Amino acid sequence: MPTIVNEKLAGSGYNLFDFVAIGVNKRVTEALLQPVVGNGTLKSGLIKGAAGLGMEYFRPRGAGIINKELEWMEAGLIIDAVEDITLTFLGPNPLGTLMGQPNASSTEGFVFI
Amino acid sequence: MKNYAKIPVAFDGGQVVEMAQQYQQTFSALNFAGIATADVVCLPGQYNQVGVFTVPAQEAVGWGVSQIINGGLTGDALYMAFYNALGVALEGTVRLIVEDANSNNPQTIGQFRTERLRADQNDRTKAILLQLDKRLAKQDSRLVIKFYPDSATSVTIMYNGTSTKIIAPVTIFQ
């Protein structure tokens, strides 16, 4: 492993490998939950957030890989929950036309003909 | 807090009107005057008007729908199939247009081949996914479908043919 992967990021307690693992976990849990609770909605965000917070209280602590995996899953769930909730309130494109696509919940760039 | 979800504003008789809400709708051939009630004869070598939707009072309408699926912004399936009296699919190029009430200033939103438009009604991996276009038709302006047939002779689109079908996602602001 290169040194950078094991480097603790200042103050976070996570190293870069943890962030990669969290990203993978987020994608997997998002896809698994999508048929059940949906995605990108307030409802799905609240359910994922509740699940993440529940894991924070109830998941076993320890150094094992299973415990680590549960920790990554929890972080992924909470990040996904925040993503869903911000999507709900800010819309898919809070930067407006800056990103190219017009936004259904914004008039940035709309033209009336 | 900054209001990110800005509301479209229409101009009605010089008065600025805030449009309170939007919703998605799927138009069929019945929404487009022309193809809704009669066969449409299309001359070769030109774009022929197949159908036209005139925006009613207090609404603004845009082609397409933007929605979030699996966290990504995407559109909704656009499907069009034109058949003649013999049940043969008509090939050509279809234009989606927004124009004002006098047919001035037509803006082409999209130009698609009929083969692609007929690909699939529901399968999102095959269909053309039409996102909401920023050019909205306000009151009395029109959404127009035009067809440029490949044929060297005139073709007729059967309006009540078993297979002639239009499924067009639009977003209504009201």
Side-chain angles (χ1 to χ4, degrees), chain A residues 27 30 34 39-40 83 87 89-94 101-113, chain B residues 4-9 22 60 68 70-71 73 98-100 107 131-138 141 173:
Chain A
R27 281 301 294 158
E30 187 176 26
Q34 200 269 331
N39 195 8
E83 179 188 335
L87 260 174
F89 290 112
L90 302 186
N93 188 3
Q101 279 295 340
N103 182 347
S105 57
S106 161
T107 49
E108 299 288 344
F110 274 116
V111 180
F112 284 89
I113 292 168
Chain B
Y4 285 95
K6 288 178 186 155
I7 295 165
V9 173
Q22 59 173 18
I68 305 163
N70 282 333
L73 184 63
V98 175
E99 64 181 26
D100 69 12
Q107 300 277 318
Q131 288 204 8
L132 174 60
D133 191 272
K134 66 179 181 180
R135 289 161 285 187
L136 303 180
K138 62 188 179 194
S141 291
F173 293 86

Side-chain angles (χ1 to χ4, degrees), chain B residues 7 12 14 20 22 35 66 81-82 86 99 102 113 129 136 150 156:
Chain B
I7 295 165
D12 185 10
Q22 59 173 18
I35 191 70
S66 287
F82 298 148
L86 301 173
E99 64 181 26
N102 302 309
R113 287 292 303 172
L129 300 178
L136 303 180
D150 288 345
T156 302

